[in-house]
C-alpha cells in the first residue's frame, strides 16, 4: 500500500457524509498562478488584442494592484471589451487555454485532496472570482459539477458588456457558499474552504475548517495568528534553478548512458549487452537525479513471462526513465516517426531497438512493426508500447489503439500491463521541467493472448483497458452491446432537461430584455479576456 501523503491525513481521518462541503478557490489553490494571466498572455501572443485594449488593460491592472480600483472595477473593464462577442467563441477559447496552459498547472496535491474528500462522501465545489470559462474545463477534469463564480451578462448568446452582480468575490463568496448549503443541506460549520488569498477572508471565517493553501503573505500571517493549518506545494508554479538543472542532467543522461555502453559493445561485440547496460544505467541515474522514487506493486510480474509485450498508460515524458528503471534489459519500443528526426536522440533510440511508425497511416504502422515480431520470437526481446498512442493531458485514460494487441497475438506472447498512477506529478504534458515526486506503479498479471483472434480483438482491447481503469479508480468502459441498447431505452423514457454547471445558470440569465447586438467572431474581438 502507498504511504499516506501528509496533505491527505486530515481528510482521510475526517467525518464522512454529504452534509460536509469541501470548497475550493481556483487560482493559486487548484492551479498554480492565475488563469486570467494565461488568458491575456495567449491573446497577446495571438495578436488578438487591439492597442486600445492592451493600454487600458495595463492601466486597469496597475490601478487594481495599487488599490485604486477594486475587483468589481477590474471585471467591469474586462467586460467592456467583450460587448457583442459570441459566447461560444469564449467557451472555445477556454477549452483551448485549458489544453495549452491550464491543465499542466493543476496541483497534483490538490487533485489528491479533492479525491480524498470525494471518497469521504463530501460535497466538493469550486467558489471562485474567475469566470466559468476559465474554470469549467478544469472542473470537468476533476469531476466537479458545482461551480459558483463571477459572471458576465449574456443576451441571446452574446455578451452585453455588463457584469452580473453580486460578483463572486469577498462577501459574494459567502453568499455563494450559503446558496450551496441551502441547495444541498450542507453544514458550513463542519465544512472546509481552501484558498490562497486574504481576499477570501470572509468565507474562510464563515466555514468551520478554513484551510489556507499556498497562502500569500497576508493570509499566512492571519493563519499563524489564528492557528489555521497551512499547506504549501512546490510541485507547480515557477521552477527553481535546481529543477532546471535536474531536468537538463536527466535528459542529457540518455546520451551519457549510451556512451558508457560503447566500450562493452567494442570489447564484447554484443550490442544487446551494451544496450541493456545503458538502459538500466539511464533509468537509475535519471530517476535519482530528478528525485523520482517508485512505489511498485507486484514487481514480480515484470519478470515472470518474458518475452512479452509491455503496455503502459502514457502520462509524462518521465515515463521513459520510469520504464527503463523497471524493465531494464532485453526491451524494444515503438515511437512516433517525428522522434527519428531529432538529432542524436533519434539515433540513440533506434540503436536501442525503437521502431518508428507513422501513426497517421495505420497500414504503414502495422508493416513497420513487423521486425518487432522477429525481435520477440528470435531474439527473446520484450516490446514496450503505449496503446494510447501519445501522452494524455490528464491522468484520465484515453482510448487504446490495437497495435500492441495485434503484435502480442502475432508473436504468441502475453501482454503485461504496467499502470502508472501519477507520472504527471513529475512532469505533465507540455511541461519541460521535471520535479521530485513519488510515483506509484502497479504491474498487473500477464494476460494470455493464445486464444485471441482478429475477430475478437475489440473485446480483448476493452477488457485490458478496463484492467487499467479499475486499477486507476476510473469508470470502466462498457461492452458495445450494452451501449447500443441505451439509445432505445432513452427514447422510451421521458426526456430530461440537460443543464449546464450551476454557475452557468446565473451566467446565462438576462435581467434585461433588449435586442442583442450583431454577433462578432473575428480573430481580434471574437476571444475573451
Amino acid at each position: 500500500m502507498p504511504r499516506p501523503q501528509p496533505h491527505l491525513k486530515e481528510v482521510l481521518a475526517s467525518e464522512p457524509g454529504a452534509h460536509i462541503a469541501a470548497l475550493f478557490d481556483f487560482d493559486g489553490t487548484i492551479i498554480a498562478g492565475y488563469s486570467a494571466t494565461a488568458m491575456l498572455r495567449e491573446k497577446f501572443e495571438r495578436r488578438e488584442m487591439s492597442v486600445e485594449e492592451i493600454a487600458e488593460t495595463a492601466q486597469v491592472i496597475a490601478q487594481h494592484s495599487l488599490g485604486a480600483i477594486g475587483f468589481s472595477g477590474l471585471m467591469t473593464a474586462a467586460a467592456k471589451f467583450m460587448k457583442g462577442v459570441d459566447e461560444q467563441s469564449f467557451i472555445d477559447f477556454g477549452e483551448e487555454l485549458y489544453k495549452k496552459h491550464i491543465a499542466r498547472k493543476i496541483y497534483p496535491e490538490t487533485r489528491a485532496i479533492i479525491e480524498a474528500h470525494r471518497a469521504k462522501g463530501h460535497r466538493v465545489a469550486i467558489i471562485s472570482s474567475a469566470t466559468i470559462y476559465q474554470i469549467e474545463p478544469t472542473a470537468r477534469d476533476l469531476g466537479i459539477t458545482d461551480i459558483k463564480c463571477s459572471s458576465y451578462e449574456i443576451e441571446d448568446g452574446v455578451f452585453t458588456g455588463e457584469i452580473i452582480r453580486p460578483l463572486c468575490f469577498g462577501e459574494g463568496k459567502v453568499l455563494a457558499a450559503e446558496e450551496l448549503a441551502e441547495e444541498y443541506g450542507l453544514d458550513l460549520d463542519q465544512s472546509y474552504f481552501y484558498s490562497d488569498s486574504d481576499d477570501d477572508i470572509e468565507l474562510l471565517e464563515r466555514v468551520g475548517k478554513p484551510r489556507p493553501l499556498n497562502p500569500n503573505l497576508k493570509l499566512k500571517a492571519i493563519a499563524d495568528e489564528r492557528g489555521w493549518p497551512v499547506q504549501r506545494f512546490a510541485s507547480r508554479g515557477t521552477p527553481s534553478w535546481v529543477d532546471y538543472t535536474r531536468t537538463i542532467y536527466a535528459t542529457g543522461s540518455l546520451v551519457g548512458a549510451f556512451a558508457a555502453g560503447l566500450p562493452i559493445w567494442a570489447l564484447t561485440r554484443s550490442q544487446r549487452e551494451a544496450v541493456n547496460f545503458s538502459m538500466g544505467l539511464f533509468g537509475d541515474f535519471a530517476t535519482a537525479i530528478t528525485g523520482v522514487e517508485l512505489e511498485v506493486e507486484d514487481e514480480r510480474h515484470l519478470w515472470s513471462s518474458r518475452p512479452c509485450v509491455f503496455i503502459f498508460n502514457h502520462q509524462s515524458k518521465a515515463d521513459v526513465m520510469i520504464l527503463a528503471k523497471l524493465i531494464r534489459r532485453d526491451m524494444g519500443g515503438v515511437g512516433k516517426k517525428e522522434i527519428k528526426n531529432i538529432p542524436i536522440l533519434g539515433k540513440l533510440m533506434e540503436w536501442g531497438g525503437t521502431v518508428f511508425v507513422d501513426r497517421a497511416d495505420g497500414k504503414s504502422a502495422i508493416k513497420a512493426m513487423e521486425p518487432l515480431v522477429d525481435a520477440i520470437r528470435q531474439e527473446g526481446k520484450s516490446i514496450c508500447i503505449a496503446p494510447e498512442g501519445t501522452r494524455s493531458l490528464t491522468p484520465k485514460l484515453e482510448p487504446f489503439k490495437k497495435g500492441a494487441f495485434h503484435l502480442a497475438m502475432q508473436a504468441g506472447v502475453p501482454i503485461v500491463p504496467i499502470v502508472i498512477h501519477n507520472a504527471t506529478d513529475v512532469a505533465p504534458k507540455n511541461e519541460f521541467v521535471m520535479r521530485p515526486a513519488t510515483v506509484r506503479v502497479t504491474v498487473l498479471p500477464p494476460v494470455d493472448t493464445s486464444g485471441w483472434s482478429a475477430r475478437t480483438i475489440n473485446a480483448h482491447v476493452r477488457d485490458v483497458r478496463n484492467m487499467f481503469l479499475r486499477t486507476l479508480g476510473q469508470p470502466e468502459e462498457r461492452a458495445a452491446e450494452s451501449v447500443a441498447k441505451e439509445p432505445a431505452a432513452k427514447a422510451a423514457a421521458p426526456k430530461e432537461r440537460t443543464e449546464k454547471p450551476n454557475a452557468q445558470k446565473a451566467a446565462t440569465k438576462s435581467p434585461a430584455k433588449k435586442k442583442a447586438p450583431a454577433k462578432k467572431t473575428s480573430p481580434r474581438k471574437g476571444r475573451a479576456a
Side-chain angles (χ1 to χ4, degrees):
M1 292 293 291
R3 297 190 300 268
Q5 299 301 312
H7 55 277
L8 298 179
K9 287 182 178 179
E10 180 195 18
V11 180
L12 295 175
S14 67
E15 178 186 346
H19 63 291
I20 296 175
L23 309 175
F24 289 81
D25 179 38
F26 186 65
D27 294 305
T29 303
I30 289 179
I31 67 168
Y34 297 93
S35 53
T37 303
M39 294 182 84
L40 288 172
R41 175 185 170 187
E42 181 66 16
K43 283 189 67 179
F44 183 79
E45 289 177 352
R46 294 182 179 195
R47 299 182 180 178
E48 293 179 356
M49 296 178 73
S50 66
V51 174
E52 177 193 4
E53 187 175 353
I54 292 172
E56 186 162 340
T57 299
Q59 180 183 10
V60 169
I61 291 174
Q63 289 177 325
H64 179 67
S65 300
L66 295 171
I69 64 172
F71 180 74
S72 178
L74 194 67
M75 288 289 289
T76 300
K80 185 182 78 170
F81 288 103
M82 295 167 56
K83 184 176 181 179
V85 174
D86 181 61
E87 185 199 15
Q88 186 59 50
S89 68
F90 209 44
I91 294 171
D92 295 341
F93 184 67
E95 293 289 344
E96 213 169 320
L97 193 77
Y98 166 74
K99 293 175 183 176
K100 192 171 179 180
H101 298 286
I102 303 299
R104 60 192 172 98
K105 293 179 178 290
I106 299 173
Y107 284 108
E109 297 92 342
T110 304
R111 184 189 291 273
I113 291 172
I114 289 169
E115 289 300 321
H117 276 294
R118 188 175 286 116
K120 301 295 288 190
H122 300 165
R123 170 70 59 175
V124 179
I126 295 174
I127 299 182
S128 170
S129 58
T131 66
I132 190 72
Y133 315 102
Q134 296 158 258
I135 299 169
E136 203 279 329
T138 300
R140 186 173 63 243
D141 166 29
L142 297 171
I144 298 173
T145 56
D146 292 298
I147 305 168
K148 295 290 186 180
C149 60
S150 298
S151 302
Y152 296 118
E153 184 184 79
I154 300 166
E155 288 183 3
D156 299 326
V158 174
F159 293 109
T160 68
E162 300 294 332
I163 56 176
I164 294 177
R165 301 177 188 274
L167 291 170
C168 197
F169 183 81
E171 190 63 31
K173 286 195 174 185
V174 177
L175 295 175
E178 289 175 344
E179 285 177 6
L180 280 173
E182 184 176 352
E183 183 176 357
Y184 295 112
L186 304 173
D187 185 350
L188 293 180
D189 291 333
Q190 295 188 58
S191 296
Y192 300 76
F193 177 49
Y194 296 87
S195 174
D196 72 307
S197 176
D198 61 297
D199 288 336
D200 292 333
I201 189 64
E202 292 91 344
L203 185 52
L204 285 164
E205 291 176 335
R206 173 64 185 85
V207 299
K209 298 178 180 178
R211 294 296 179 263
L213 202 60
N214 310 310
N216 61 18
L217 292 176
K218 287 184 178 180
L219 181 55
K220 177 65 166 61
I222 293 171
D224 289 343
E225 181 183 340
R226 303 189 184 186
W228 294 346
V230 170
Q231 299 181 76
R232 193 178 294 281
F233 306 139
S235 59
R236 294 293 183 266
T238 305
S240 67
W241 68 269
V242 175
D243 294 321
Y244 278 109
T245 303
R246 289 171 185 263
T247 302
I248 292 168
Y249 268 100
T251 305
S253 69
L254 181 63
V255 178
F258 276 94
L262 291 178
I264 297 175
W265 188 20
L267 295 173
T268 66
R269 311 309 302 168
S270 173
Q271 179 179 340
R272 182 167 180 167
E273 286 304 318
V275 170
N276 285 341
F277 173 81
S278 297
M279 193 64 66
L281 179 62
F282 165 65
D284 289 340
F285 182 86
T287 52
I289 199 70
T290 53
V292 174
E293 297 183 10
L294 301 184
E295 288 185 351
V296 186
E297 183 180 0
D298 290 331
E299 190 172 0
R300 66 186 186 279
H301 296 316
L302 290 170
W303 304 95
S304 63
S305 299
R306 297 200 188 190
C308 63
V309 173
F310 290 106
I311 63 173
F312 67 99
N313 54 315
H314 200 6
Q315 298 179 348
S316 168
K317 67 179 183 179
D319 294 338
V320 176
M321 65 183 187
I322 291 170
L323 292 167
K325 184 173 179 65
L326 291 173
I327 300 174
R328 306 196 70 80
R329 59 179 298 114
D330 300 330
M331 65 178 286
V334 177
K336 57 184 179 181
K337 69 172 186 177
E338 290 81 5
I339 298 177
K340 188 176 182 179
N341 299 323
I342 299 176
I344 303 176
L345 178 62
K347 288 296 181 184
L348 286 176
M349 292 184 67
E350 190 173 18
W351 183 65
T354 299
V355 170
F356 300 100
V357 300
D358 182 359
R359 290 175 180 152
D361 186 347
K363 292 182 180 179
S364 172
I366 292 173
K367 186 170 182 61
M369 290 173 65
E370 288 177 358
L372 295 178
V373 176
D374 295 333
I376 295 172
R377 289 177 173 174
Q378 298 172 18
E379 301 175 37
K381 282 188 175 181
S382 295
I383 307 301
C384 195
I385 302 178
E388 292 167 288
T390 188
R391 281 175 286 172
S392 56
L393 195 62
T394 74
K396 292 183 179 178
L397 197 68
E398 298 293 330
F400 279 5
K401 294 177 172 60
K402 301 176 188 175
F405 300 86
H406 281 292
L407 177 63
M409 198 165 56
Q410 291 174 29
V413 295
I415 282 177
V416 176
I418 299 176
V419 184
I420 304 174
H421 292 260
N422 58 314
T424 52
D425 292 8
V426 182
K429 187 174 182 178
N430 301 324
E431 184 65 70
F432 169 74
V433 171
M434 292 190 283
R435 309 191 196 224
T438 298
V439 178
R440 291 178 52 214
V441 179
T442 303
V443 187
L444 300 179
V447 178
D448 183 14
T449 65
S450 60
W452 289 11
S453 69
R455 184 177 58 84
T456 59
I457 191 71
N458 288 339
H460 301 310
V461 172
R462 185 186 66 248
D463 290 344
V464 173
R465 184 168 181 272
N466 279 340
M467 294 169 66
F468 276 83
L469 291 168
R470 281 194 298 274
T471 307
L472 292 168
Q474 298 175 18
E476 294 184 36
E477 178 185 352
R478 289 175 293 171
E481 305 81 58
S482 62
V483 174
K485 292 177 184 177
E486 197 170 275
K490 283 186 176 179
K495 289 186 178 180
E496 294 184 0
R497 183 165 60 93
T498 302
E499 295 186 341
K500 297 179 181 180
N502 284 351
Q504 193 70 340
K505 298 176 192 175
T508 54
K509 290 174 83 173
S510 299
K513 296 291 184 181
K514 55 185 177 182
K515 188 176 179 180
K519 295 183 181 181
K520 291 189 271 185
T521 56
S522 65
R524 189 173 297 280
K525 291 293 288 181
R527 300 297 185 190

